[in-house]
Amino acid sequence: MLVQQLLGFVTAGRLMAGDKLPSERELAERFDVSRPTVREALRALSVLGVLEIRHGGGAFVTALNAAELLGPLTFFLSLSDASVEQLYHARQLIEGEICALAANRVTPAELVRLSNLIDAQEKVRHDAGRYMQLDTEFHMVLGQIADNPFLARASQSLNVLGIEFRKLAAKTKATPTRSISDHKAILAALTAGDVEAARAAMVAHMIQVLTTTRAELELKDG
């Protein structure tokens, strides 16, 4: 299938972010398919966020960041009220494991970095946009500490999918206070090197975010 072949070039590094693909005619000749087949494959990759089709300018590989690649799935999630439950269940599993791994690997310098992020969150609790940036960074740092790139990427991807839900939750004044308390509990478990406490603290955090987000969504729909 042409879509899979082109994706293979991207994942193998033969096509990099910003690269322009050959013309439809060249692709059709190279892969021995019709030009309509090429056009349909390019359109599919554009919908997935892998390619950007520029009118009159050809097809280019995108920056391949999580926000672009998960855009269609984010749209799907916005159509399903039940999906927020499934999203945060997945986050409990993945973020919980990341936190457990981090408890065994965290260094004093990394503990300081996490503490500084929490302090920064407290200072911007009334600025929802900046607050969420710091929240995202807190979770990204945990992913780095855990030292498992697959879990870290999954965490980042799910975080992107949850951004719109979390924006709604951020409108509740109590949400920043609750999340900061959760982050402090996570930091305390990491400081103690307690694997199970770290996992439990993160799972509790995800449940708290889910509960708040669900309530906010219900309020909006009501």
Side-chain angles (χ1 to χ4, degrees), residues 49-196:
V50 176
L51 297 180
E52 176 190 358
I53 309 297
R54 300 177 187 173
H55 183 66
F60 294 79
V61 180
T62 67
L64 300 174
N65 61 52
E68 290 175 340
L69 296 176
L70 291 166
L73 191 49
T74 303
F75 174 71
F76 165 75
L77 288 176
S78 71
L79 302 178
S80 171
D81 292 336
S83 64
V84 68
E85 308 277 349
Q86 297 165 336
L87 171 62
Y88 279 97
H89 180 234
R91 291 197 73 192
Q92 287 174 45
L93 298 174
I94 293 172
E95 300 273 5
E97 187 60 25
I98 283 174
C99 225
L101 290 171
N104 273 331
R105 293 172 168 80
V106 68
T107 66
E110 289 165 341
L111 289 171
V112 170
R113 184 179 179 189
L114 290 169
S115 179
N116 288 340
L117 284 171
I118 294 173
D119 290 342
Q121 281 185 291
E122 290 190 297
K123 294 176 182 177
V124 299
R125 65 175 67 211
H126 299 299
D127 181 344
R130 179 59 182 149
Y131 177 87
M132 282 192 289
Q133 287 176 356
L134 291 167
D135 181 81
T136 296
E137 186 175 352
F138 183 87
H139 287 272
M140 285 181 65
V141 170
L142 288 174
Q144 293 166 4
I145 296 170
D147 196 28
N148 184 314
F150 295 97
L151 285 175
R153 179 56 59 88
S155 170
Q156 291 173 33
S157 299
L158 292 177
N159 184 50
V160 169
L161 295 178
I163 285 293
E164 293 305 315
F165 292 134
R166 292 162 65 207
K167 283 181 180 177
L168 289 172
K171 293 178 182 178
T172 301
K173 293 181 180 179
T175 299
T177 300
R178 293 171 184 164
S179 288
I180 288 171
S181 295
D182 288 350
H183 285 183
K184 288 180 177 179
I186 291 167
L187 180 60
L190 294 175
T191 301
D194 190 327
V195 172
E196 291 308 317

